[in-house]
Amino acid sequence: MKSDKKTPLIGIMTARKSNGAITGNGPLFIELQKKLISLNGMSFIFTIEGVEQDTIKGYSFSPNENRWIQKTFPYPDLVYNRIPFRKSEQDKRCKHFFSHLNEKRIPFFNPCFIDKYELFNLLKNHLSLQRYLPQTILVQTKNDFFLFLKKYKNVYLKPSQASKGKGIYRLRIMNSREIEMEGVKEKKTYTSFHHFWEDWHKELKDKNYIAQEEISSAKYNGARFDFRILAHAYKDDFNLTGIGIRSSHEQEITTHIPSGGRLLPYQLLQTTAHDQFIQTIVPQIGKALSEQFGFFGEFSIDAAVSESGKYYIFEVNSKPMSFDETEIEDKKIEQLCRLFVQLANYKK
């Protein structure tokens, strides 16, 4: 059963919390529904628990009644993957459902969360992108990590499968022996690398931490800043949707807003060189991701420019957080719905 060509049906996939409540970005889902209705389309949200052989139980937002209404839907023309938890996405039922979508030739994006070390290995194999990568290793052995730290003196430790700045630490060799480890809310000094390793090796291995050379980012008013870049697929390419600036404020470890980062308008720091860098990497990253993992309809990039003027790509996020800039959020809704309609009609 297919929806009418003039009324594309979009399924937005999310997940349930341990208490059974549906989670996800409710305000985003509501705005998408409103925009789709204006484009003669319709959307509903659902979780894997609502998926059946030929139908899906889900919820559609009614702007007229200002509430979510539970219904049974046919399989949609497109599935927008907004599952917020890695564990949920890796569930066998979800993997089976994604395979089922492929069999039915129903397009879906984005296919998965991105592992930081997998991303590094992917981008370093692209000649045009590898020059933007900070030196990075997967923390596996004591000796290899010690040599990496000894070479770069200051490094960042990041869990391969975390996001929003969670679990990030900065490690520094303070003198010939002392190691300082600093997180968003804590700081600890170890008398030697051996003592640090004894305390942390299990955590570093269990969570697949990567170590990344620290980049001396350019500063504005004495605080380092970086770029948050939002991009969407359009036709056979990838276009820039918006750029935000995040500046460190309460601490220097991360510029993420929830961890005390500060928001600045891109126009404040915009240069031709910044524009060229961003316009260069967006389509190349989009194509690299889609070739490796499956179609990416949207993604965000964390990038920076160093004090010496060199550009770096730090992370790529497959399920971008909401941008605090309302104009970027508005454009995101526009771009997503345009993409939904394009893919849904192409499928037919």
Side-chain angles (χ1 to χ4, degrees), residues 91-109:
D91 184 287
K92 284 182 182 177
R93 293 173 300 172
C94 283
K95 290 184 176 180
H96 180 266
F97 175 64
F98 292 148
S99 295
H100 195 42
L101 291 177
N102 277 327
E103 289 165 9
K104 285 179 167 284
R105 302 180 67 84
I106 294 173
F108 67 95
F109 71 88

Side-chain angles (χ1 to χ4, degrees), residues 260-283:
R262 188 171 50 185
L263 182 148
L264 297 172
Y266 177 62
Q267 292 75 13
L268 188 67
L269 298 165
Q270 185 174 12
T271 67
T272 302
H274 294 348
D275 289 347
Q276 288 175 343
F277 162 69
I278 292 165
Q279 293 285 2
T280 297
I281 65 170
V282 161

Side-chain angles (χ1 to χ4, degrees), residues 77-329:
D77 297 306
L78 174 143
V79 171
Y80 176 40
N81 177 7
R82 287 297 302 195
I83 299 173
F85 311 125
R86 289 173 190 264
K87 189 175 179 182
S88 298
E89 190 177 76
Q90 290 162 1
D91 184 287
K92 284 182 182 177
R93 293 173 300 172
C94 283
K95 290 184 176 180
H96 180 266
F97 175 64
F98 292 148
S99 295
H100 195 42
L101 291 177
N102 277 327
E103 289 165 9
K104 285 179 167 284
R105 302 180 67 84
I106 294 173
F108 67 95
F109 71 88
N110 293 320
C112 59
F113 282 99
I114 304 171
D115 178 285
K116 291 180 176 61
Y117 193 59
E118 283 184 18
L119 175 74
F120 172 76
N121 283 322
L122 171 64
L123 299 187
K124 82 173 184 181
N125 288 324
H126 285 256
L127 290 175
S128 55
L129 294 171
Q130 63 180 210
R131 60 192 169 126
Y132 300 126
L133 300 176
Q135 288 301 310
T136 302
I137 62 165
L138 186 64
V139 179
Q140 291 178 302
T141 69
K142 179 179 180 180
N143 189 55
D144 285 350
F145 182 40
F146 176 68
L147 292 174
F148 188 82
L149 180 61
K150 192 176 177 183
K151 180 177 181 179
Y152 293 105
K153 304 294 189 290
N154 305 327
V155 305
Y156 272 90
L157 287 168
K158 302 175 180 180
S160 282
Q161 296 191 340
S163 57
K164 304 176 187 175
K166 291 177 182 175
I168 290 182
Y169 295 92
R170 181 167 60 187
L171 213 61
R172 289 180 166 177
I173 297 179
M174 301 305 289
N175 49 46
S176 58
R177 288 178 60 82
E178 280 191 346
I179 304 290
E180 180 188 85
M181 187 173 193
E182 185 180 3
V184 172
K185 295 180 179 177
E186 75 267 40
K187 186 185 289 188
K188 188 171 182 179
T189 302
Y190 292 90
T191 55
S192 69
F193 179 80
H194 174 75
H195 287 106
F196 159 78
W197 185 258
E198 284 293 300
D199 204 12
W200 274 89
H201 75 275
K202 189 174 187 308
E203 176 89 355
L204 295 176
K205 289 181 180 179
D206 287 351
K207 294 190 177 175
N208 292 320
Y209 265 81
I210 59 168
Q212 205 168 65
E213 66 169 313
E214 181 180 1
I215 303 303
S216 297
S217 297
K219 294 181 178 179
Y220 175 75
N221 285 347
R224 71 183 187 88
F225 69 87
D226 53 30
F227 307 112
R228 292 289 192 280
I229 303 158
L230 182 63
H232 288 90
Y234 181 61
K235 294 188 176 174
D236 294 322
D237 208 348
F238 294 86
N239 289 349
L240 173 66
T241 300
I243 310 166
I245 296 286
R246 301 294 179 267
S247 170
S248 60
H249 181 47
E250 295 174 7
Q251 43 71 39
E252 283 285 314
I253 303 302
T254 174
T255 59
H256 285 281
I257 299 292
S259 300
R262 188 171 50 185
L263 182 148
L264 297 172
Y266 177 62
Q267 292 75 13
L268 188 67
L269 298 165
Q270 185 174 12
T271 67
T272 302
H274 294 348
D275 289 347
Q276 288 175 343
F277 162 69
I278 292 165
Q279 293 285 2
T280 297
I281 65 170
V282 161
Q284 293 179 6
I285 288 176
K287 287 168 187 171
L289 290 174
S290 295
E291 286 167 8
Q292 180 74 13
F293 301 114
F295 179 60
F296 270 74
E298 71 172 341
F299 55 91
S300 65
I301 307 166
D302 295 352
V305 60
S306 71
E307 290 179 319
S308 63
K310 186 178 178 186
Y311 291 96
Y312 288 91
I313 298 166
F314 292 136
E315 291 185 31
V316 180
N317 305 294
S318 62
K319 296 173 190 180
M321 294 166 60
S322 294
F323 275 66
D324 294 285
E325 297 89 344
T326 53
E327 69 276 12
I328 296 178
E329 275 297 291

Side-chain angles (χ1 to χ4, degrees), residues 8-13 24-45 60-63 68 78-82 109 232 298 320 322 328-341:
L9 181 62
I10 310 303
I12 302 173
M13 192 172 186
N25 190 338
L28 170 64
F29 302 159
I30 289 170
E31 289 307 311
L32 287 172
Q33 171 73 331
K34 288 178 179 177
K35 183 65 181 178
L36 276 168
I37 289 171
S38 76
L39 295 172
N40 213 12
M42 184 180 177
S43 67
F44 67 96
I45 65 167
S60 187
F61 184 77
S62 168
W68 293 95
L78 174 143
V79 171
Y80 176 40
N81 177 7
R82 287 297 302 195
F109 71 88
H232 288 90
E298 71 172 341
S322 294
I328 296 178
E329 275 297 291
D330 290 345
K331 194 171 179 188
K332 176 173 85 172
I333 301 295
E334 185 86 31
Q335 296 294 82
L336 277 171
C337 290
R338 184 188 296 179
L339 183 59
F340 291 160
V341 172

